[in-house]
């Protein structure tokens, strides 16, 4: 059986549309670059689809494993408590999703964190501002 990866990009969400647009566009960029991967975006608050609605979006896609990745810079309550609870993750950050009646393994990635790529992007934004 061939593995088919699903990525669940998790955003915070906001009453303002820009947050959803950014996270959705990041998910779209991933999908465009990795055409063999199924990418869904879901949100914790004030935006749709919700996390559970995004998970339901994997139905009919044939995914055999899913990685959930928070599109957040740093850990906070959503990252350490809320998302693991919603995804029913074990102490190792793993779990299963039910997709089309099948148990699909789920792994939870960390937030973006401090990274040279992000530092380069921050500097790029500084140059754009000046």
């Amino acid at each position: 059986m061939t593995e088919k990866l699903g990525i669940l990009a998790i955003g915070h969400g906001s009453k303002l549309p820009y947050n959803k647009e950014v996270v959705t566009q990041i998910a779209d960029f991933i999908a465009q670059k990795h055409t063999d991967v199924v990418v869904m975006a879901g949100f914790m608050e004030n935006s749709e689809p919700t996390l559970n609605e995004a998970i339901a979006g994997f139905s009919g896609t044939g995914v055999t494993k899913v990685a959930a990745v928070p599109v957040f810079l740093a850990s906070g309550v959503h990252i350490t408590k809320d998302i693991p609870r919603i995804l029913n993750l074990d102490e190792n950050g793993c779990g299963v999703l039910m997709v089309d009646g099948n148990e699909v393994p789920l792994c939870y990635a960390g937030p973006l964190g401090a990274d040279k790529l992000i530092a380069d992007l921050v500097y790029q934004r500084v140059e754009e501002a000046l």
Side-chain angles (χ1 to χ4, degrees):
M1 181 171 138
T2 303
E3 294 286 330
K4 185 165 186 181
L5 175 62
I7 295 176
L8 177 60
I10 304 169
H12 185 277
S14 172
K15 292 178 182 176
L16 301 175
Y18 182 68
N19 178 275
K20 178 181 178 176
E21 292 166 4
V22 169
V23 174
T24 300
Q25 191 168 32
I26 290 169
D28 290 345
F29 288 153
I30 296 167
Q32 290 166 13
K33 186 170 184 175
H34 303 279
T35 57
D36 56 334
V37 174
V38 178
V39 185
M40 299 289 166
F43 299 89
M44 295 300 298
E45 299 178 13
N46 302 309
S47 296
E48 293 183 346
T50 65
L51 209 50
N52 287 323
E53 290 168 340
I55 291 167
F58 288 116
S59 180
T61 65
V63 296
T64 58
K65 59 184 175 180
V66 173
V69 59
V71 185
F72 291 57
L73 281 178
S75 289
V77 174
H78 282 324
I79 303 273
T80 61
K81 303 237 185 274
D82 299 337
I83 295 169
R85 179 184 45 77
I86 291 168
L87 297 177
N88 197 29
L89 301 175
D90 65 20
E91 62 279 353
N92 297 315
C94 297
V96 295
L97 297 176
M98 292 304 294
V99 179
D100 297 327
N102 300 308
E103 287 190 352
V104 174
L106 168 71
C107 295
Y108 186 45
L112 301 177
D115 189 285
K116 290 179 183 179
L117 291 171
I118 293 173
D120 290 344
L121 181 59
V122 169
Y123 192 81
Q124 178 182 328
R125 294 295 183 256
V126 168
E127 288 180 323
E128 291 168 358
L130 298 177

